[in-house]
Amino acid sequence: MSGNPMTGRAGARTDVQADVAVLGAGIVGVSAAIAARQQGMSVVLVDRREPGSETSYGNAGVLSSGSILPLNKPSLWRALPSYIANRHAALRWDPAWTIRNIDWVVRFLANATASQTRPRATALHGLIGASLKLHREWIAKAGAAPRLRETGWLKAWRSDATKAAKLEQGFLAEFGINSELLDRQAISALEPHIVPVYKVGLLHTQTASVDSPGAVVEAYARMFAASGGEIRRSEVNAIARHGERWHVALVDGAISARHVVVALGPWSADLLRPLGYRVPLAFERGYHREFRPNPARTLQRPIHDAEGSFLMTPMEQGVRVTTGVELTARDAPSSLAQLDAVVPLARGVVEFGEAVGEPWRGSRPTFPDSLPMIGAAPRHRGLWLAFGNQHIGFTTGPASGAAIAAMIGGATPSFDVRPFSPGRYL
Ligand SMILES: Cc1cc2nc3c(=O)[nH]c(=O)nc-3n(C[C@H](O)[C@H](O)[C@H](O)COP(=O)(O)OP(=O)(O)OC[C@H]3O[C@@H](n4cnc5c(N)ncnc54)[C@H](O)[C@@H]3O)c2cc1C
């Protein structure tokens, strides 16, 4: 293992041997790599970019204890009429994509019933709990603890939405998730620098956040490298089973491994298609833009404007404003309509300066039931799938990866992985 472990630029190296090749160095892949290494396996982590450069870079950095309700829950039906005209900041949809992917859309909507929602909330609660435990442990071990804020997450309503907030609070309480109901004065006490536009707030007290999700993933990757793991920077072209091993074909070489973990986030389905897997993964695209903060008007925590359909988070570079969902092809050209709609609203809540850098776009990878795939590929021994973590992948990455490492080692994961079985779709 020579060369720079963070770049893998060590010249042409072919036929690297490892127990496990983890493909994709987003939060999910880095986590699988750390956990497999902790079990004493030899691990190569492959990515065409630096660790934590894609979806795991651009998210809102919320480590959410309370995001157990997926987007396709019963209240989606009430909201649907407001989405039809395709002008809502919460959801934009491409009609051509929708027709081409009507099967995914119908299956996604079919899950938005009360009876389909509670079991998924239970499943996500287990995954989230296990993940937050790992995040808190690893962020300290990786020397990135100063990036972690234990200040909660504020969901806020401009209208008198006390009933909706109480309903949410009650549902969360059934799972032991704490929150505090706030009125305008309490919100001002909590966030003294925002304009008092919100009438009602729900503070998720057990939720944390970080000031740079990309830097946290980088720190985790450094921790993996320091434990003897290898990071290879290269494009993965294909995978194939050769006897008892997997051959991972890279653009500049190859890896031979007993186990392969596919953790390529929104790109995962592409690699699996040649193996005969039709993976029903859609892309809930989202955008962010960062703005120079006003040092006299700082935010203490991420704020989710429930009716404005955006989130704003204090980040290392400035205030990061993130958007709702754009349902379209993963690689379709960007549309800044949602950002254009929400940035003025955010400016009306807290004063900030000019934009820092360009708008960013990413794709939340989502299955019709909004649960990730965590487990063995049904028809290939030694092939493991860990992707589809939708809106909460930065939160759920660690336990998703650790569960895969446990299963490879023949151990039982720390939460119930059955609802996440790849066999439900493949
Ligand atoms: C706007 C927005 C806001 C969000 N906010 C939050 C939040 O606040 N909290 C939260 O928990 N989650 C949030 N998410 C979701 C979260 O970011 C994702 O679910 C998560 O980052 C997915 O991680 P991943 O490791 O699966 O994928 P990625 O981070 O995308 O990693 C996949 C990796 O695979 C690599 N790759 C792909 N193809 C190849 C190839 N052929 N060869 C080599 N490498 C390849 C890529 O370079 C990439 O590094 C948000 C998402 C968006 C878009």
Side-chain angles (χ1 to χ4, degrees):
M1 290 183 205
S2 57
N4 178 349
M6 288 301 285
T7 63
R9 286 194 199 94
R13 286 176 299 156
T14 52
D15 293 321
V16 173
Q17 304 270 333
D19 293 328
V20 184
V22 179
L23 313 184
I27 184 64
V28 177
V30 168
S31 300
I34 291 173
R37 188 67 207 116
Q38 281 174 344
Q39 294 189 30
M41 301 174 204
S42 58
V43 184
V44 185
L45 173 64
V46 192
D47 201 299
R48 60 188 168 205
R49 300 190 60 186
E50 296 294 335
S53 298
E54 290 280 3
T55 333
S56 299
Y57 158 82
N59 60 72
V62 182
L63 295 173
S64 177
S65 67
S67 295
I68 59 174
L69 277 173
L71 201 73
N72 48 351
K73 53 185 177 288
S75 61
L76 176 62
W77 292 104
R78 274 199 310 282
L80 271 188
S82 64
Y83 299 151
I84 299 293
N86 223 350
R87 301 182 66 82
H88 204 295
L91 177 73
R92 296 291 168 103
W93 50 284
D94 169 3
W97 180 91
T98 306
I99 291 166
R100 275 200 313 278
N101 294 276
I102 195 68
D103 185 43
W104 183 93
V105 174
V106 168
R107 287 204 272 175
F108 186 78
L109 289 172
N111 273 298
T113 63
S115 64
Q116 299 285 349
T117 299
R118 185 164 280 272
R120 290 180 296 144
T122 304
L124 288 174
H125 183 48
L127 170 63
I128 289 171
S131 246
L132 291 180
K133 218 167 138 217
L134 286 175
H135 259 306
R136 289 186 168 106
E137 182 191 322
W138 289 354
I139 207 163
K141 280 195 184 147
R147 298 197 175 277
L148 182 69
R149 294 173 299 227
E150 296 282 2
T151 51
W153 174 41
L154 179 64
K155 181 168 177 182
W157 289 264
R158 293 163 189 252
S159 68
D160 184 7
T162 311
K163 202 172 145 202
K166 277 190 173 160
L167 257 177
E168 189 169 325
Q169 186 176 39
F171 186 82
L172 295 178
E174 287 176 36
F175 290 84
I177 301 166
N178 298 337
S179 61
E180 285 171 18
L181 197 63
L182 308 176
D183 61 13
R184 204 190 294 271
Q185 284 73 27
I187 294 171
S188 293
L190 198 71
E191 289 286 350
H193 299 135
I194 68 171
V195 178
V197 295
Y198 300 119
K199 276 194 178 146
V200 179
L202 194 65
L203 177 68
H204 291 228
T205 50
Q206 293 160 316
T207 286
S209 61
V210 300
D211 71 355
S212 172
V216 169
V217 179
E218 268 178 54
Y220 289 180
R222 277 196 298 275
M223 182 169 82
F224 162 71
S227 74
E230 176 171 358
I231 298 175
R232 178 83 182 259
R233 182 151 172 199
S234 186
E235 173 94 23
V236 179
N237 284 338
I239 52 174
R241 183 100 181 147
H242 285 183
E244 282 305 297
R245 298 183 73 84
W246 281 93
H247 178 84
V248 180
L250 306 175
V251 71
D252 58 353
I255 297 170
S256 168
R258 285 198 301 123
H259 298 271
V260 168
V261 181
V262 177
L264 296 168
W267 295 274
S268 300
D270 302 359
L271 194 73
L272 294 168
R273 204 167 299 123
L275 298 178
Y277 292 112
R278 274 196 69 231
V279 183
L281 197 66
F283 311 104
E284 295 188 63
R285 301 202 322 182
Y287 297 80
H288 88 221
R289 187 119 210 225
E290 289 185 337
F291 300 88
R292 216 172 286 292
N294 176 344
R297 295 274 178 269
T298 51
L299 294 173
Q300 310 306 311
R301 57 184 56 73
I303 299 178
H304 174 198
D305 187 315
E307 288 144 332
S309 307
F310 66 91
L311 213 134
M312 53 187 175
T313 316
M315 289 286 183
E316 190 173 36
Q317 310 285 344
V319 180
R320 179 177 289 187
V321 179
T322 60
T323 67
V325 170
E326 182 191 21
L327 266 183
T328 185
R330 183 189 61 208
D331 301 325
S334 292
S335 155
L336 300 184
Q338 282 159 296
L339 265 182
D340 289 346
V342 300
V343 167
L345 288 176
R347 271 193 199 286
V349 180
V350 71
E351 219 179 280
F352 49 73
E354 74 274 26
V356 185
E358 295 301 311
W360 173 90
R361 187 190 84 213
S363 299
R364 306 170 182 97
T366 304
F367 283 101
D369 60 5
S370 291
L371 300 181
M373 242 175 212
I374 307 171
R379 296 185 294 282
H380 292 83
R381 212 146 48 84
L383 178 60
W384 302 87
L385 311 181
F387 53 86
N389 294 61
Q390 43 108 342
H391 291 240
I392 53 171
F394 184 60
T395 303
T396 55
S400 302
I404 293 285
M407 287 187 267
I408 291 175
T412 307
S414 64
F415 62 96
D416 184 3
V417 288
R418 286 170 301 179
F420 307 104
S421 162
R424 71 194 197 277
Y425 286 122
L426 302 181

